[in-house]
Amino acid sequence: MKNISSILRLEYRRIIFDMLSITIIFVGSAFYSFYYPFPYENDIVRKMPVAVVDLDKSDLSKTVVTMLNNTESLRVLSYPSMEEAKKGIYLREVYGIIYIPDKFYKKVAKGESPTVSVFADGSYFILYSTALTAATQIVLMTAAGVKIQKMSMMGIPINDALLLQSAVNLTAKPLFNPKAGYVGFVAPAIYAIIVQQILLMVILLVHATGYERGYGYPEDASTLTILFSKIIVYLTVYMVVFSFFFTAGPMAFGIQLNNSLIEAVMFAIPYGFAIIFFGITLSVFARDRDAVLLVMLMTSIPFVMLAGFIWPDWMMPDWIRYFSYLIPSTPGVSGFLYIRQMGADISDVMPKYINLWIQVAVYGVTAFLAVRWQQKQRQFIF
């Protein structure tokens, strides 16, 4: 017990007096949990400027243009020709073109299906989707009105005309992301990965600092004592970082949380232990602070891709998917998304929960062996 208390004091002092580690824990956590979603707080596209080239000039085409301009997502700018509209795209005056061809009304009145072309800036997917969705809905709705009016003039009852025009009423509602915005989709997943990266960075940085400066432990300290002390210290760090990302951050930006905090904490327990044991295992290779920062920077994007929320894991090669199961963030990200965003219970994410506990068991053994090896090699732990 004497060794545990003395080692705990040493561990905490080494973190507290390492300015970079303290900055990463507190400033980094606060910065990423609040600043990362901030630019996307207003991530619903409103009044996006689009060019409309109306060659028909009919009452119907003018109605289409008016309705497009009255939507919340679009702001219509009229252009006389496609050439002028293309210049507007190149100059970033507009981000899409809606082309209404000549004889648009006549073809609709005859029951034909004229082609209304929609061109949108594909370099911004959200802008492309906004222009395409709004234009499609308005044009179809307006054209349907003309066809219904024509059928009514032919003596078909209005109710029958409505049924003939549209046999199905479709209502679309985004689940688990009411605003259908970027923050509600990406931020919770990124939060889970940032928690992992911050904790790993602190573990490896403090170890590399100790290796460079010669930090050590009492000679009679056992491997289990050292490992147990590390676990306590890094669990403290984990709780601080976790509290930023999974309570304050989502609440500040209105990210929907569909389950109790108890479920999230139950899942967070193996996630934290897996990261800690994973970091202690990797600390065998941490001998240079600059190298640690470089490696953590280089692995951030691969970990994001392997998590499966940007690119579906079933579309990855088998060997990459199997490799991803070795990284805590892979089951951690999807598990937190299911629990906090979709309202799932632990039973619903049991495969991911088991995956984390397997990592805890495996990395717990490798962490013990890493500390033991460092003792035998008389390496300074930290």
Side-chain angles (χ1 to χ4, degrees), residues 2-17:
K2 179 181 177 181
N3 278 337
I4 289 179
S5 60
S6 62
I7 292 174
L8 282 174
R9 287 195 298 271
L10 286 172
E11 297 270 358
Y12 280 118
R13 283 174 61 87
R14 289 165 185 173
I15 292 178
I16 292 171
F17 289 100

Side-chain angles (χ1 to χ4, degrees), residues 23-86:
T23 302
I24 291 172
I25 294 171
F26 292 100
V27 179
S29 297
F31 179 82
Y32 279 109
S33 62
F34 292 104
Y35 180 75
Y36 176 79
F38 183 75
Y40 307 100
E41 185 178 12
N42 298 317
D43 56 354
I44 306 300
V45 178
R46 290 183 174 86
K47 293 302 177 183
M48 180 182 81
V50 295
V52 170
V53 180
D54 180 11
L55 300 184
D56 189 48
K57 303 296 183 181
S58 64
D59 290 340
L60 179 61
S61 66
K62 292 178 181 178
T63 300
V64 170
V65 174
T66 300
M67 294 180 68
L68 286 171
N69 198 42
N70 288 338
T71 62
E72 291 187 0
S73 56
L74 300 181
R75 178 168 60 88
V76 170
L77 300 176
S78 295
Y79 283 78
S81 65
M82 281 295 293
E83 289 71 21
E84 292 296 322
K86 288 179 182 179

Side-chain angles (χ1 to χ4, degrees), residues 52-296:
V52 170
V53 180
D54 180 11
L55 300 184
D56 189 48
K57 303 296 183 181
S58 64
D59 290 340
L60 179 61
S61 66
K62 292 178 181 178
T63 300
V64 170
V65 174
T66 300
M67 294 180 68
L68 286 171
N69 198 42
N70 288 338
T71 62
E72 291 187 0
S73 56
L74 300 181
R75 178 168 60 88
V76 170
L77 300 176
S78 295
Y79 283 78
S81 65
M82 281 295 293
E83 289 71 21
E84 292 296 322
K86 288 179 182 179
K87 291 180 181 179
I89 287 281
Y90 298 143
L91 296 174
R92 284 293 191 265
E93 296 174 350
V94 292
Y95 293 91
I97 302 173
I98 300 172
Y99 177 80
I100 302 176
D102 190 17
K103 300 180 181 179
F104 171 69
Y105 172 74
K106 291 182 179 180
K107 290 184 178 181
V108 171
K110 291 179 181 180
E112 300 177 7
S113 299
T115 300
V116 175
S117 302
V118 180
F119 306 88
D121 190 345
S123 61
Y124 293 98
F125 183 76
I126 191 171
L127 299 184
Y128 173 82
S129 176
T130 299
L132 182 62
T133 301
T136 301
Q137 291 177 345
I138 296 299
V139 172
L140 290 178
M141 182 173 61
T142 308
V146 173
K147 292 180 180 180
I148 291 171
Q149 183 180 13
K150 182 180 178 182
M151 284 187 282
S152 178
M153 293 173 63
M154 295 170 60
I156 299 175
I158 188 66
N159 290 335
D160 294 340
L162 287 169
L163 290 174
L164 288 172
Q165 179 59 33
S166 178
V168 178
N169 292 323
L170 180 63
T171 300
K173 182 178 181 180
L175 298 175
F176 316 122
N177 186 7
K179 295 181 179 179
Y182 183 86
V183 173
F185 168 70
V186 173
I190 295 294
Y191 280 169
I193 293 177
I194 295 176
V195 167
Q196 172 185 270
Q197 296 302 90
I198 287 178
L199 192 54
L200 287 178
M201 196 177 300
V202 171
I203 293 172
L204 299 179
L205 275 176
V206 178
H207 180 92
T209 301
Y211 186 87
E212 292 176 353
R213 300 179 184 177
Y215 294 157
Y217 291 106
E219 290 288 338
D220 58 343
S222 68
T223 304
L224 280 176
T225 299
I226 296 173
L227 182 60
F228 181 72
S229 301
K230 284 174 172 286
I231 293 171
I232 294 176
V233 170
Y234 291 123
L235 276 177
T236 305
V237 175
Y238 176 68
M239 287 187 289
V240 171
V241 176
F242 182 87
S243 65
F244 272 108
F245 286 99
F246 288 93
T247 55
M251 291 178 184
F253 291 93
I255 297 174
Q256 179 172 321
L257 302 177
N258 288 321
N259 213 327
S260 67
L261 189 59
I262 295 176
E263 295 284 341
V265 170
M266 289 178 62
F267 193 81
I269 291 172
Y271 187 55
F273 277 109
I275 296 172
I276 291 169
F277 289 143
F278 184 52
I280 294 173
T281 301
L282 295 179
S283 68
V284 172
F285 307 102
R287 301 186 180 186
D288 182 89
R289 288 169 63 89
D290 294 335
V292 167
L293 293 173
L294 181 61
V295 169
M296 295 309 299

Side-chain angles (χ1 to χ4, degrees), residues 285-347:
F285 307 102
R287 301 186 180 186
D288 182 89
R289 288 169 63 89
D290 294 335
V292 167
L293 293 173
L294 181 61
V295 169
M296 295 309 299
L297 179 64
M298 292 174 60
T299 56
S300 295
I301 298 300
F303 286 168
V304 169
M305 299 302 297
L306 292 174
F309 71 98
I310 290 181
W311 188 260
D313 56 358
W314 55 269
M315 295 183 66
M316 299 178 186
D318 290 341
W319 69 271
I320 293 181
R321 189 171 70 254
Y322 296 145
F323 173 77
S324 71
Y325 298 152
L326 302 176
I327 303 168
S329 59
T330 299
V333 166
S334 55
F336 279 121
L337 283 177
Y338 288 145
I339 290 173
R340 297 302 274 161
Q341 301 300 112
M342 302 180 184
D345 297 323
I346 289 295
S347 59

